[in-house]
Amino acid sequence: MSDRIAGALAARGVRQGQLVSLFSQNRWEWIVAYHGILKAGAVVNPVNVMFTHDELTFVLDDCNAVAIFTSGEHAKRLVETTGTLERLNHVFSFDDARVEGATTFESLLTDSSELPDVEIVPSGPCSIGYTSGTTGRPKGAVQSHRSVLLNCALTATMHGRTVDDIVVTALPAPHVYGNVVLNGTFIAGGTVVLMERFTAPLALELIETHRATMFEGVPAMYAMMLADESSKTRKIDSLVRSTVGGQTMPTATIERWQQLSGAPLLELWGMTEIAGVGATHTLHAPSRPGSIGVSLPGIELKVADLTDPSTEAKLGEPGELMVRGPIVMIEYYGNPAATAEVLEADGWLHTGDIATKDETGHYFVVDRRKDMIITGGYNVYPAEIERVMAGHPDI
């Protein structure tokens, strides 16, 4: 199917190196389109489905997208938007409802155009993932084919994925964590049970029905499943491990999930600028609850002194987490000033996270540097307060 999408894109004038965006909830068509775009030699731009229309328009304009795949509910407005965006020429709708000016995904799948003959350069652009824009307009992190592939492959290795794995997930496909879960599972030959969006009862039902070996999510998903009444009766003992990322997770919640599932919960850390995961626990290594784990193979992590990024902080001392290696982004698209702010000349990337490192090489994220509160001369991190609150039985 992705071969057909690639051929159809080429037949409609999409050329190697051009940008094609993806904007919809999780669905199988999204995955087919993602790989079709790459097979056409184009650069894929997965957009957060929570973006407002104005944010989406900014992204499409900023990355010079020539086409977009989207759901039927957004197709009509995006067709209207093509008149204001100079380069956006095609709107492809995943749904059958005819929207004047849009092309249906189904019609692309029936296209008999040949798969274009393109040479993929490993160090060349593969995807542009936009940050959430919490500190201003979103910035587009340009990732190479090598960085995306390595992140999926190395994460799959750390988590011990195999052809027998059945992974239930509701993580958004456009998010780098969701992408690593999907393509990391495919690399190993496993099966993905993809939820359109998360609800606790359905997640527990799918784990039981499909005899899932993995569930992957963010802290709130685990808290909601633990609080759901059906967790007392659902049989989820097929789980071999679960993963959690996105933000710090209280140790108390980790322990409760592990007790319910009977399997380890592997914490991880990542960011858009490194195409996914940068640190995680390995399946068979001793756990360090509350830690994000160790660096991926071949990837360097360090905790830098807050006043001098070239100097490492002492063990156990808070500093800024920095990362270097082949998974680090090429640049922020069209934004050299922002790139220079976070990317040092020697390849070290500033993450903006405050962390500590222990004697075993495990890292512990304290909080975001920008969230730090200074009171009475002391540094206070909101995540520390949240962890204490989460351990209270009434919260």
Side-chain angles (χ1 to χ4, degrees):
M1 285 183 173
S2 58
D3 282 354
R4 290 181 219 145
I5 294 299
L9 289 174
R12 285 160 177 78
V14 175
R15 298 291 172 251
Q16 185 162 10
Q18 291 186 320
L19 270 289
V20 179
S21 300
L22 276 166
F23 184 69
S24 84
Q25 294 283 359
N26 287 351
R27 53 196 300 164
W28 67 265
E29 296 95 335
W30 193 104
I31 300 171
V32 171
Y34 177 94
H35 287 281
I37 292 165
L38 295 180
K39 285 182 178 182
V43 179
V44 66
N45 167 228
V47 185
N48 182 350
V49 75
M50 296 295 286
F51 274 9
T52 64
H53 184 74
D54 287 344
E55 288 172 320
L56 172 61
T57 303
F58 169 81
V59 167
L60 296 174
D61 186 44
D62 189 65
C63 71
N64 301 314
V66 298
I68 184 169
F69 287 86
T70 190
S71 55
E73 61 183 309
H74 298 293
K76 185 174 186 295
R77 194 167 184 187
L78 280 165
V79 168
E80 295 167 355
T81 303
T82 57
T84 61
L85 294 175
E86 185 181 344
R87 293 175 183 82
L88 189 66
N89 299 316
H90 301 284
V91 175
F92 303 118
S93 174
F94 286 138
D95 297 300
D96 292 337
R98 295 293 188 269
V99 174
E100 189 175 349
T103 304
T104 64
F105 189 74
E106 184 181 15
S107 67
L108 296 183
L109 287 177
T110 60
D111 195 298
S112 58
S113 301
E114 288 186 12
L115 183 69
D117 182 19
V118 294
E119 181 183 354
I120 303 299
V121 179
S123 59
C126 167
S127 70
I128 299 183
Y130 276 76
T131 60
S132 60
T134 53
T135 56
R137 283 292 196 179
K139 298 184 289 290
V142 183
Q143 294 294 347
S144 68
H145 289 275
R146 178 185 288 120
S147 65
V148 176
L149 173 62
L150 279 178
N151 207 307
C152 294
L154 293 174
T155 304
T157 301
M158 295 284 274
H159 294 163
R161 294 181 200 272
T162 73
V163 68
D164 296 320
D165 273 316
I166 299 171
V167 182
V168 172
T169 182
L171 291 167
H175 193 277
V176 287
Y177 185 13
N179 183 61
V180 167
V181 168
L182 290 169
N183 287 313
T185 304
F186 294 155
I187 280 173
T191 301
V192 174
V193 180
L194 184 64
M195 300 175 67
E196 180 181 351
R197 53 174 60 201
F198 177 81
T199 66
L202 180 57
L204 291 164
E205 178 186 339
L206 291 173
I207 293 170
E208 180 182 61
T209 302
H210 293 278
R211 300 296 293 160
T213 58
M214 291 184 77
F215 179 83
E216 311 208 47
V218 294
M221 294 179 181
Y222 289 97
M224 292 167 73
M225 286 191 290
L226 286 165
D228 193 82
E229 279 298 312
S230 66
S231 67
K232 298 173 183 175
T233 55
R234 289 291 181 190
K235 294 186 183 303
I236 61 171
D237 57 344
S238 59
L239 290 174
V240 176
R241 69 282 198 209
S242 301
T243 72
V244 62
Q247 64 189 107
T248 54
M249 185 170 182
T251 306
T253 310
I254 295 172
E255 291 172 349
R256 288 173 59 210
W257 177 257
Q258 289 183 155
Q259 186 176 8
L260 178 69
S261 67
L265 178 58
L266 307 177
E267 297 166 83
L268 57 84
W269 165 89
M271 60 191 304
T272 304
E273 289 82 350
I274 59 172
V277 178
T280 186
H281 292 263
T282 56
L283 177 58
H284 301 296
S287 66
R288 295 283 287 168
S291 162
I292 59 171
V294 298
S295 62
L296 295 183
I299 307 304
E300 296 178 86
L301 289 176
K302 73 175 181 180
V303 177
D305 185 275
L306 290 172
T307 58
D308 180 10
S310 65
T311 304
E312 285 198 52
K314 295 177 182 176
L315 286 181
E317 217 173 74
E320 183 178 9
L321 186 63
M322 298 184 71
V323 57
R324 181 167 69 175
I327 61 174
V328 171
M329 69 174 183
I330 299 169
E331 63 178 349
Y332 284 127
Y333 185 75
N335 199 335
T339 303
E341 283 181 17
V342 300
L343 201 54
E344 297 286 341
D346 58 1
W348 283 103
L349 176 75
H350 290 267
T351 70
D353 283 323
I354 301 295
T356 61
K357 179 183 177 181
D358 70 7
E359 67 281 355
T360 63
H362 286 78
Y363 292 84
F364 297 77
V365 170
V366 181
D367 213 334
R368 292 291 293 167
R369 185 168 186 170
K370 287 175 179 156
D371 289 344
M372 183 176 73
I373 302 162
I374 302 175
T375 175
Y378 292 95
N379 293 345
V380 177
Y381 299 98
E384 291 180 335
I385 300 168
E386 290 171 3
R387 278 191 285 271
V388 172
M389 293 172 65
H392 193 287
D394 294 335
I395 296 178

